[in-house]
Amino acid sequence: MADAASTESPGASACPPSATDVLPKSGWESAARRAIDRGLLWRIEKDGRTSWLYGTIHIARFDWVMPGPTVKAALQQSDTIALEINLLDAEAMKGALASRQAEPAAKEKLLSGERGQRMARQMTLACATDELQARLNRVQPILQAIALTMLAGRADGFYAEFGIDIFLSAFGRSANKPVVALETVADQMKLLGANGGSREAEQVDQMLDQLESGNARRQLRELAEAWARGDRDMLANYADWCNCLQSSAAQRQWKRLVDDRNPGIADGIERLHASGKRVFGAVGALHMVGPRGLPGLLAQRGFTVTAVLPVGEAKAAN
């Protein structure tokens, strides 16, 4: 746990700007003109149709949001955009919000004593506004800890508001392309173990440890920058450098959240492709790498899988 000196309340000048405040005056059109290819992209072919796999990042810098020419072309050639969850589906997210509400007694028990004090300190250090704190206090503790981890990225210019998945949802809407979810919020909540039990408490403690040590911020920065430059090897070896999977419990949770989800995600992409759609399947980049990654799983199912990115300037992206 961090010592008292490291958990003092920051002054207003120490708080990072909001996502709105970092938007450049030149706006989105200028960003689109400057956009270069980032991330990981594969072409997957079967039954005479071409679909795509794209590894995304859930927090990003503003300059990373707009797709480069190769990714944009793949989007334009696709009929359907398939995401883990469609964050711009108002009806689905309304139900998701209800499923995330914490049961008061379970939340109070989990956040009693020292754990609750640690969470409160991290809220302060994250410069969470009163409104944001009120919203977070209504959801399960594990979701509070995840939100605080994402907020840690703001100090390095990374914002959930600029997450690549959000842009892809907006692109699909503007281009009149269907945007479908490959998973449900309920499924993800079940995997997180957000039920007030011992598994949730263990995960909250692990995330608080990572936040207090500064490791959470370092992880986010290194992961995001590896994505931006298309560093497939670094992404594939995340477990070796993240300093976050030392315990057997953390390793089991990692397997549940990444490897164990991949077959179901592959099922969804395969079904959409088999229905005659040209699919742009966009999922977190860590689901794309390693022996159990989506490209390998779909190759096993008869797809011809060809790596497209990183090439050229994507390798040098920062």
Side-chain angles (χ1 to χ4, degrees), residues 5 14 17 29 34 54 73 84 111 152 160 173 177 190 192-193 199 201 222 232 241 252 259 293 302 311 318:
E29 290 186 7
R34 298 193 310 270
Y54 185 53
E84 293 172 48
L111 291 181
R173 178 181 293 180
K177 294 179 185 284
K190 188 181 298 183
L192 286 170
R199 182 150 66 95
E222 294 187 7
R232 193 177 304 166
W241 58 260
R252 288 194 300 272
D259 291 346
V311 294
N318 290 308

CSV table of all heavy atoms in Angstrom, one decimal, residues 5 14 17 29 34 54 73 84 111 152 160 173 177 190 192-193 199 201 222 232 241 252 259 293 302 311 318:
chain,number,residue,atom,x,y,z
A,5,ALA,N,2.3,10.0,2.4
A,5,ALA,CA,2.8,11.1,1.6
A,5,ALA,C,2.4,11.0,0.1
A,5,ALA,O,2.2,12.0,-0.6
A,5,ALA,CB,4.3,11.1,1.6
A,14,ALA,N,-2.8,20.1,-10.2
A,14,ALA,CA,-2.2,18.7,-10.4
A,14,ALA,C,-3.1,17.8,-11.1
A,14,ALA,O,-2.7,16.7,-11.5
A,14,ALA,CB,-1.8,18.1,-9.0
A,17,PRO,N,-6.3,17.5,-17.4
A,17,PRO,CA,-7.5,18.1,-18.0
A,17,PRO,C,-8.5,17.1,-18.4
A,17,PRO,O,-8.2,15.9,-18.5
A,17,PRO,CB,-6.9,18.8,-19.3
A,17,PRO,CG,-5.6,18.0,-19.5
A,17,PRO,CD,-5.1,17.6,-18.2
A,29,GLU,N,-11.7,17.1,-38.4
A,29,GLU,CA,-11.3,17.1,-39.8
A,29,GLU,C,-9.8,17.1,-39.9
A,29,GLU,O,-9.2,16.4,-40.7
A,29,GLU,CB,-12.0,18.2,-40.5
A,29,GLU,CG,-13.5,18.1,-40.7
A,29,GLU,CD,-14.1,19.2,-41.6
A,29,GLU,OE1,-13.3,19.9,-42.2
A,29,GLU,OE2,-15.3,19.2,-41.7
A,34,ARG,N,-4.6,13.9,-40.7
A,34,ARG,CA,-3.3,13.5,-40.2
A,34,ARG,C,-3.2,12.0,-39.8
A,34,ARG,O,-2.1,11.6,-39.5
A,34,ARG,CB,-2.9,14.4,-39.0
A,34,ARG,CG,-2.8,15.8,-39.2
A,34,ARG,CD,-2.1,16.5,-38.0
A,34,ARG,NE,-2.8,16.1,-36.7
A,34,ARG,CZ,-3.8,16.8,-36.2
A,34,ARG,NH1,-4.3,17.8,-36.8
A,34,ARG,NH2,-4.3,16.3,-35.0
A,54,TYR,N,-9.6,-6.6,-36.2
A,54,TYR,CA,-8.8,-5.4,-35.8
A,54,TYR,C,-8.7,-5.4,-34.3
A,54,TYR,O,-9.7,-5.5,-33.5
A,54,TYR,CB,-9.6,-4.1,-36.3
A,54,TYR,CG,-8.8,-2.8,-36.0
A,54,TYR,CD1,-7.5,-2.7,-36.5
A,54,TYR,CD2,-9.4,-1.8,-35.4
A,54,TYR,CE1,-6.8,-1.5,-36.3
A,54,TYR,CE2,-8.7,-0.6,-35.2
A,54,TYR,CZ,-7.4,-0.5,-35.6
A,54,TYR,OH,-6.7,0.7,-35.4
A,73,ALA,N,-10.0,1.9,-45.1
A,73,ALA,CA,-10.5,1.1,-46.3
A,73,ALA,C,-11.1,-0.2,-45.9
A,73,ALA,O,-12.2,-0.6,-46.5
A,73,ALA,CB,-9.3,0.8,-47.2
A,84,GLU,N,-16.9,-5.9,-29.1
A,84,GLU,CA,-17.2,-6.6,-27.8
A,84,GLU,C,-18.6,-6.2,-27.3
A,84,GLU,O,-19.4,-7.0,-27.0
A,84,GLU,CB,-16.1,-6.3,-26.8
A,84,GLU,CG,-14.8,-6.9,-27.1
A,84,GLU,CD,-13.7,-6.4,-26.1
A,84,GLU,OE1,-13.9,-6.5,-24.9
A,84,GLU,OE2,-12.6,-5.9,-26.6
A,111,LEU,N,-16.8,-2.8,0.9
A,111,LEU,CA,-16.0,-1.5,1.0
A,111,LEU,C,-15.9,-1.0,2.4
A,111,LEU,O,-15.7,0.2,2.7
A,111,LEU,CB,-16.6,-0.4,0.1
A,111,LEU,CG,-16.5,-0.7,-1.4
A,111,LEU,CD1,-17.1,0.5,-2.2
A,111,LEU,CD2,-15.0,-0.9,-1.8
A,152,ALA,N,-6.4,6.7,-14.3
A,152,ALA,CA,-5.0,6.9,-14.1
A,152,ALA,C,-4.3,7.2,-15.4
A,152,ALA,O,-3.2,7.9,-15.4
A,152,ALA,CB,-4.4,5.6,-13.5
A,160,ALA,N,-10.6,7.3,-21.8
A,160,ALA,CA,-11.6,6.3,-22.3
A,160,ALA,C,-12.5,7.0,-23.3
A,160,ALA,O,-13.0,6.3,-24.2
A,160,ALA,CB,-12.4,5.8,-21.1
A,173,ARG,N,-22.6,4.1,-37.1
A,173,ARG,CA,-23.8,4.8,-37.2
A,173,ARG,C,-23.9,5.8,-38.3
A,173,ARG,O,-24.8,5.9,-39.0
A,173,ARG,CB,-24.0,5.5,-35.8
A,173,ARG,CG,-25.3,6.4,-35.7
A,173,ARG,CD,-25.3,7.1,-34.4
A,173,ARG,NE,-25.6,6.1,-33.3
A,173,ARG,CZ,-25.7,6.5,-32.0
A,173,ARG,NH1,-25.5,7.8,-31.7
A,173,ARG,NH2,-25.9,5.6,-31.1
A,177,LYS,N,-24.0,1.5,-41.2
A,177,LYS,CA,-23.6,0.1,-41.2
A,177,LYS,C,-24.0,-0.5,-39.8
A,177,LYS,O,-23.9,0.2,-38.8
A,177,LYS,CB,-22.1,-0.1,-41.3
A,177,LYS,CG,-21.5,0.3,-42.6
A,177,LYS,CD,-19.9,0.2,-42.6
A,177,LYS,CE,-19.3,0.7,-43.9
A,177,LYS,NZ,-19.5,-0.2,-45.0
A,190,LYS,N,-20.4,-11.3,-15.2
A,190,LYS,CA,-20.3,-12.7,-14.6
A,190,LYS,C,-18.8,-13.1,-14.6
A,190,LYS,O,-18.3,-13.6,-13.6
A,190,LYS,CB,-21.1,-13.7,-15.4
A,190,LYS,CG,-21.1,-15.1,-14.8
A,190,LYS,CD,-21.9,-16.0,-15.6
A,190,LYS,CE,-23.4,-15.6,-15.8
A,190,LYS,NZ,-24.2,-16.6,-16.6
A,192,LEU,N,-16.3,-11.0,-14.4
A,192,LEU,CA,-15.6,-10.2,-13.4
A,192,LEU,C,-15.9,-10.7,-12.0
A,192,LEU,O,-15.1,-10.3,-11.1
A,192,LEU,CB,-16.1,-8.7,-13.6
A,192,LEU,CG,-15.5,-8.0,-14.8
A,192,LEU,CD1,-16.2,-6.7,-15.0
A,192,LEU,CD2,-14.0,-7.8,-14.7
A,193,GLY,N,-16.9,-11.5,-11.9
A,193,GLY,CA,-17.2,-11.9,-10.5
A,193,GLY,C,-17.8,-10.8,-9.7
A,193,GLY,O,-17.5,-10.7,-8.5
A,199,ARG,N,-14.2,-13.3,-4.5
A,199,ARG,CA,-13.4,-13.1,-5.8
A,199,ARG,C,-13.4,-11.6,-6.1
A,199,ARG,O,-12.4,-11.1,-6.6
A,199,ARG,CB,-14.0,-13.9,-6.9
A,199,ARG,CG,-13.2,-13.8,-8.2
A,199,ARG,CD,-13.3,-15.1,-9.1
A,199,ARG,NE,-14.6,-15.4,-9.6
A,199,ARG,CZ,-15.0,-15.0,-10.8
A,199,ARG,NH1,-14.3,-14.3,-11.6
A,199,ARG,NH2,-16.2,-15.4,-11.2
A,201,ALA,N,-13.7,-9.1,-4.0
A,201,ALA,CA,-12.9,-8.5,-3.0
A,201,ALA,C,-11.4,-8.6,-3.4
A,201,ALA,O,-10.6,-7.7,-3.3
A,201,ALA,CB,-13.2,-9.0,-1.6
A,222,GLU,N,2.4,1.8,-21.3
A,222,GLU,CA,3.2,0.9,-22.1
A,222,GLU,C,2.3,0.0,-23.1
A,222,GLU,O,2.6,-0.2,-24.2
A,222,GLU,CB,4.0,0.0,-21.2
A,222,GLU,CG,5.1,0.8,-20.5
A,222,GLU,CD,6.1,-0.1,-19.7
A,222,GLU,OE1,6.0,-1.4,-19.9
A,222,GLU,OE2,6.9,0.4,-19.0
A,232,ARG,N,3.3,-6.2,-32.0
A,232,ARG,CA,2.6,-7.4,-31.7
A,232,ARG,C,3.4,-8.3,-30.7
A,232,ARG,O,2.8,-8.9,-29.8
A,232,ARG,CB,2.5,-8.2,-33.0
A,232,ARG,CG,1.5,-9.4,-32.9
A,232,ARG,CD,1.3,-10.0,-34.3
A,232,ARG,NE,0.9,-9.1,-35.3
A,232,ARG,CZ,1.0,-9.3,-36.6
A,232,ARG,NH1,1.4,-10.5,-37.0
A,232,ARG,NH2,0.6,-8.4,-37.5
A,241,TRP,N,5.8,-8.7,-18.8
A,241,TRP,CA,6.3,-7.4,-18.4
A,241,TRP,C,5.3,-6.5,-17.6
A,241,TRP,O,5.7,-5.5,-17.0
A,241,TRP,CB,6.8,-6.6,-19.6
A,241,TRP,CG,5.7,-6.3,-20.7
A,241,TRP,CD1,5.6,-7.0,-21.8
A,241,TRP,CD2,4.7,-5.3,-20.7
A,241,TRP,NE1,4.5,-6.5,-22.6
A,241,TRP,CE2,4.0,-5.4,-21.9
A,241,TRP,CE3,4.3,-4.3,-19.8
A,241,TRP,CZ2,2.9,-4.6,-22.2
A,241,TRP,CZ3,3.2,-3.5,-20.1
A,241,TRP,CH2,2.5,-3.6,-21.3
A,252,ARG,N,-5.5,-16.8,-12.9
A,252,ARG,CA,-6.8,-17.4,-13.2
A,252,ARG,C,-7.8,-16.4,-13.8
A,252,ARG,O,-8.5,-16.6,-14.7
A,252,ARG,CB,-7.4,-18.1,-12.0
A,252,ARG,CG,-6.7,-19.3,-11.5
A,252,ARG,CD,-7.5,-20.1,-10.5
A,252,ARG,NE,-7.8,-19.3,-9.3
A,252,ARG,CZ,-6.9,-19.3,-8.2
A,252,ARG,NH1,-5.8,-20.0,-8.3
A,252,ARG,NH2,-7.3,-18.6,-7.2
A,259,ASP,N,-8.3,-15.4,-22.5
A,259,ASP,CA,-8.3,-16.6,-23.2
A,259,ASP,C,-9.7,-17.3,-23.3
A,259,ASP,O,-10.1,-17.8,-24.4
A,259,ASP,CB,-7.3,-17.6,-22.6
A,259,ASP,CG,-5.9,-17.1,-22.9
A,259,ASP,OD1,-5.6,-16.2,-23.7
A,259,ASP,OD2,-4.9,-17.7,-22.2
A,293,GLY,N,-5.1,-16.6,-29.5
A,293,GLY,CA,-5.7,-15.4,-30.0
A,293,GLY,C,-6.7,-15.6,-31.2
A,293,GLY,O,-6.7,-16.7,-31.8
A,302,GLY,N,-10.9,-22.7,-40.6
A,302,GLY,CA,-11.0,-22.7,-42.0
A,302,GLY,C,-10.8,-21.4,-42.7
A,302,GLY,O,-10.9,-21.3,-44.0
A,311,VAL,N,2.5,-2.5,-40.7
A,311,VAL,CA,3.4,-2.3,-41.8
A,311,VAL,C,3.8,-0.8,-41.9
A,311,VAL,O,3.0,0.0,-41.4
A,311,VAL,CB,2.9,-2.8,-43.2
A,311,VAL,CG1,2.6,-4.3,-43.2
A,311,VAL,CG2,1.6,-2.0,-43.5
A,318,ASN,N,3.8,6.7,-32.6
A,318,ASN,CA,4.0,6.9,-31.2
A,318,ASN,C,2.8,7.7,-30.7
A,318,ASN,O,2.1,8.3,-31.4
A,318,ASN,CB,5.3,7.8,-31.0
A,318,ASN,CG,6.5,7.0,-31.2
A,318,ASN,OD1,6.7,5.9,-30.7
A,318,ASN,ND2,7.4,7.5,-32.1
